[in-house]
Amino acid sequence: MPKLPKGKMKWVIGVIAIAIIAFIGFRYWKGKKSELPEGIVSGNGRLESKLADVSAKEPLRVKQILVNEGDLVKPGQVLVQLDTTTLESSLAEANANLAATQEKLAVAQAGIVKQKSEIELATIEAERARRLVSQGAGSQRDVDVRTSQLETTRASLAEAEATLKTSKQEIEVARANAATIQTRIADATLKSPVTGRVLYRLAEPGEVLSPGGPALTLVNLEDVFMEIFLPASEAARVKLGSEARLTVDFEPNRSIPGYVSFVSPEAQFTPKQVETKSEREKLVFRLKLQVPRELASRYVERIKTGIRGVGYVKVDPSAEWPSRLQNVITGESASR
């Protein structure tokens, strides 16, 4: 190979030296940029959300499922309709029993009115018979007969009043039975308890669900959080409610505001999927970084759980977030 002239060789070596220095400087600058200031700690995690099952309270056949996997649902939205044919028959029978009991009550009330009228008449006749005896114009036998009739009528009134009381109790029982069946029919219409997305469709029309058997599993998109693991020296400085930031791998330059909602009271080993083996050999504490519900509710159509990222926590309230964590997602940009 032909040798380069001395001057040109020095120029090439200089260029290479400058490139190496620039590379080292860039790595140093990048490392310093990614460093966290004193008072802020971090840990790897992933966005998670609580799950909610839409389940049957009693064994009924699935009549209709109104959503598919991936659909976004709102609280109170009807998701599944169960077959209530047998319950509706029971309700009709309960309503008929209630009507018969109410009719029995009306008869008892009418009987009481009649008995009270007869008591008034028997009282008048008994009093008249006593006056006649005192005047010597009547017999004691007539007084005894009238008095006996009055006592018999009073006994009949007491019996009618007892029947009336029983009828009222029977009406309350019949009403409660009808209301219970009506509630069971209402429970056969399964509604969404949360704002979320259908994760699994676990049943199809025609299947009979067991008591408590789920028809759907929903992801609650208003209850979003990230769990991270910190060593004892860092976790001991964390307080509930401490300010937090969450970032996801696909958009590391934007952060999600949050707060510490849980700090485990017990140490544990870091799960396998979080860190390297050497890191897992250390005891750590689990923290839960919660995304505010009002913020999560504005992003329900964009939230994807399971995405990996990093969670940051202020252990010193006076610490300042680095510039890369100050580009915070807010509700105002939710519609963009």
Side-chain angles (χ1 to χ4, degrees):
M1 284 182 64
K3 291 185 179 181
L4 292 174
K6 262 189 176 181
K8 199 168 184 180
M9 176 67 75
K10 289 181 180 179
W11 182 83
V12 171
I13 293 173
V15 170
I16 294 173
I18 292 172
I20 292 173
I21 292 171
F23 176 75
I24 294 173
F26 173 77
R27 292 293 299 270
Y28 176 78
W29 172 81
K30 190 173 181 181
K32 294 296 286 184
K33 186 179 179 181
S34 62
E35 280 185 5
L36 291 174
E38 184 68 26
I40 297 177
V41 296
S42 67
N44 291 342
R46 61 182 181 179
L47 283 183
E48 299 182 57
S49 182
K50 289 185 178 179
L51 302 181
D53 285 335
V54 178
S55 307
K57 286 189 175 181
E58 55 184 291
L60 291 174
R61 189 178 302 278
V62 177
K63 183 177 181 180
Q64 191 177 12
I65 297 182
L66 304 173
V67 292
N68 293 308
E69 291 181 354
D71 287 353
L72 189 65
V73 297
K74 301 292 183 182
Q77 179 179 337
V78 177
L79 306 180
V80 181
Q81 183 63 58
L82 304 179
D83 191 344
T84 58
T85 302
T86 56
L87 292 177
E88 288 169 359
S89 298
S90 298
L91 180 60
E93 183 180 348
N95 286 331
N97 184 40
L98 176 60
T101 308
Q102 290 173 330
E103 185 177 347
K104 183 179 178 181
L105 175 65
V107 172
Q109 289 172 331
I112 288 175
V113 173
K114 178 182 178 182
Q115 295 298 329
K116 287 182 177 179
S117 299
E118 291 179 355
I119 286 175
E120 291 178 4
L121 178 59
T123 301
I124 293 172
E125 291 179 346
E127 186 60 32
R128 182 185 297 119
R130 290 191 192 95
R131 285 200 304 270
L132 291 174
V133 168
S134 64
Q135 295 172 2
S139 65
Q140 183 61 41
R141 181 180 180 283
D142 193 32
V143 173
D144 293 341
V145 170
R146 298 298 180 186
T147 302
S148 177
Q149 289 177 345
L150 176 59
E151 294 301 323
T152 301
T153 307
R154 285 175 175 168
S156 297
L157 175 61
E159 182 180 353
E161 288 175 339
T163 301
L164 177 65
K165 184 177 180 180
T166 302
S167 297
K168 288 181 178 179
Q169 292 174 342
E170 290 176 350
I171 284 178
E172 292 302 318
V173 172
R175 280 177 178 163
N177 186 34
T180 298
I181 297 174
Q182 187 64 60
T183 300
R184 292 170 64 192
I185 291 175
D187 289 340
T189 300
L190 307 186
K191 300 178 181 180
S192 173
V194 298
T195 296
R197 200 172 292 279
V198 180
L199 181 62
Y200 300 119
R201 178 165 161 161
L202 304 173
E204 295 297 332
E207 295 183 26
V208 177
L209 297 179
S210 59
L216 301 168
T217 297
L218 308 179
V219 178
N220 184 355
L221 296 180
E222 290 186 325
D223 191 350
V224 181
F225 57 91
M226 179 182 286
E227 288 187 344
I228 65 172
F229 298 84
L230 296 178
S233 59
E234 295 179 350
R237 302 169 62 192
V238 177
K239 297 179 181 179
L240 288 177
S242 295
E243 191 178 352
R245 290 283 190 272
L246 289 69
T247 63
V248 291
D249 291 348
F250 71 87
E251 198 172 4
N253 294 324
R254 297 194 71 190
S255 63
I256 305 168
Y259 61 93
V260 178
S261 62
F262 172 80
V263 179
S264 175
E266 296 182 350
Q268 64 186 84
F269 289 102
T270 313
K272 291 182 179 180
Q273 68 271 24
V274 175
E275 292 292 353
T276 62
K277 183 178 179 181
S278 60
E279 289 290 335
R280 294 199 304 272
E281 291 172 353
K282 301 176 183 178
L283 283 175
V284 293
F285 287 80
R286 178 170 61 92
L287 276 70
K288 184 176 177 181
L289 311 184
Q290 187 76 40
V291 177
R293 181 176 291 270
E294 60 273 13
L295 178 61
S297 65
R298 296 189 182 106
Y299 284 87
V300 290
E301 295 188 2
R302 295 173 57 184
I303 292 174
K304 300 291 187 295
T305 57
I307 296 175
R308 296 188 179 277
V310 182
Y312 303 85
V313 180
K314 274 188 180 183
V315 294
D316 181 359
S318 63
E320 291 189 8
W321 295 111
S323 58
R324 60 191 174 86
L325 294 178
Q326 291 181 9
N327 184 16
V328 179
I329 293 174
T330 62
E332 285 71 20
S333 59
S335 60
R336 295 178 186 176

